[in-house]
Amino acid sequence: MLDVIIEGVSTRGLRHCETTTLDVLLRHEGVELSEPMLFGLGSGLSFVYWDGKGMDFPFLGGRVRSFELTRNLAARLGLDLTVSETTSPRRAWWHVTAPIDAGRPVGLQLDSYHLDYFGSGVHFGGHVVAMYGYDDERAYLVDTDQQGGAVTTSLAGLAAARAERGPMTARHRSFTVTARAAFEVRDLVVPAIAACADAFLNPPIANVGHRGIAKAGKLVPTWLRRTDDPARDLALAALLMERGGTGGALFRNLYRDFLGECAELVDHPGLRAGHAGYGEAATLWTEVAALIAAAGGAGDDTPLRRAGAILMEISRVEHDAMSALAGIRT
């Protein structure tokens, strides 16, 4: 029986899928950073209100697009990031097994719907996991703590997850990282914060960044008109916001904690103001998720109107926090 398992791989699950995967890959390279630091150095915080054609219900995203965090982090840390994509399932499998056979774990972007262990029965093509082994029947993965950390899925399920097409999917994307040189975290945090603040404060379109949060504030009160099953759709939106982090507190908590770590390295009033602002924003996002869930359960738009008002406040709070953070480079 074929059985290839890389020994000594960190299999702890963190809060977010992409940072969990990066943690696995980087620790194997001898690079140890906290999850908030991975998220922050990757300039991962953002917001998007997405309601495209063919979507059953609007999507709130609280971070940059899938894999953008990985690219940002690799560039900032000076990592060699090797990315493979293909339309061929056979070649895609070789892209995974070759590095694992050589003792290197691999990151995969896929649709979580097809994974045996995954708790949410919805399609999400932007999910990321680390893979560190396989046998004749199963793949050995590391996912978030919520999904179980060290988990396995059938090779058939993994193949389906990687082959899925639709929103946020990639063409059998896999990747590895190689650490090239030592770096000093203190030298990297200010550029990372500045890049994130610039993108958030100057979004290219109205549904991104602080403008996107304000747009959500206007549109969330109309959500009952967007669904035939509010108990299902609003409950799922609230669950993804609060536990999946799509548009809720999870990423604000990570960024708050990142800023708290940075404040121990860099003494600047703008950094302290940003840290306090994101602490406030995270609390408000949790309140919004609870109100959306309540509206779904009651079929009443009163909680949605309240959620909309809080979202307008969050837009202001996060704009002020990012404005303060933008000033730390001076």
Side-chain angles (χ1 to χ4, degrees), residues 115-323:
L115 301 176
D116 300 346
Y117 61 86
F118 209 81
S120 174
V122 296
H123 286 278
F124 179 61
H127 194 60
V128 181
V129 298
M131 181 169 165
Y132 66 99
Y134 62 95
D135 58 31
D136 292 327
E137 298 180 351
R138 307 197 68 77
Y140 293 79
L141 309 176
V142 184
D143 209 319
T144 61
D145 178 64
Q146 180 182 338
Q147 297 301 332
V151 291
T152 67
T153 194
S154 67
L155 295 184
L158 183 70
R162 300 188 68 205
E164 186 68 60
R165 292 296 173 262
M168 293 181 280
T169 58
R171 298 180 306 164
H172 294 98
R173 179 180 286 159
S174 61
F175 60 98
T176 60
V177 298
T178 304
R180 292 187 299 188
F183 55 84
E184 187 63 49
V185 170
R186 189 184 188 283
D187 297 334
L188 304 179
V189 295
V190 171
I193 291 169
C196 192
D198 284 344
F200 192 86
L201 294 171
N202 304 291
I205 51 178
N207 61 331
V208 175
H210 71 97
R211 296 173 64 194
I213 300 174
K215 183 171 184 177
K218 296 175 183 177
L219 294 177
V220 164
T222 71
W223 272 7
L224 283 182
R225 300 199 293 270
R226 280 297 317 276
T227 175
D228 296 327
D229 190 348
R232 177 197 64 200
D233 290 337
L234 271 68
L236 179 59
L239 176 67
L240 292 175
M241 285 175 66
E242 192 61 19
R243 297 187 64 187
T246 55
L250 188 151
F251 295 125
R252 272 59 195 166
N253 283 328
L254 281 177
Y255 208 67
R256 175 204 62 203
D257 294 346
F258 163 67
L259 295 173
E261 291 188 37
C262 292
E264 298 178 1
L265 302 172
V266 178
D267 183 18
H268 194 287
L271 187 49
R272 294 191 291 274
H275 179 238
Y278 271 98
E280 180 182 359
T283 300
L284 292 172
W285 275 111
T286 293
E287 188 174 350
V288 167
L291 287 165
I292 290 173
D300 179 8
D301 66 0
T302 301
L304 292 180
R305 293 198 300 271
R306 174 60 182 152
I310 296 174
L311 284 164
M312 299 302 289
E313 175 67 6
I314 291 173
S315 177
R316 182 197 63 78
V317 168
E318 294 202 25
H319 178 275
D320 290 351
M322 283 297 190
S323 296

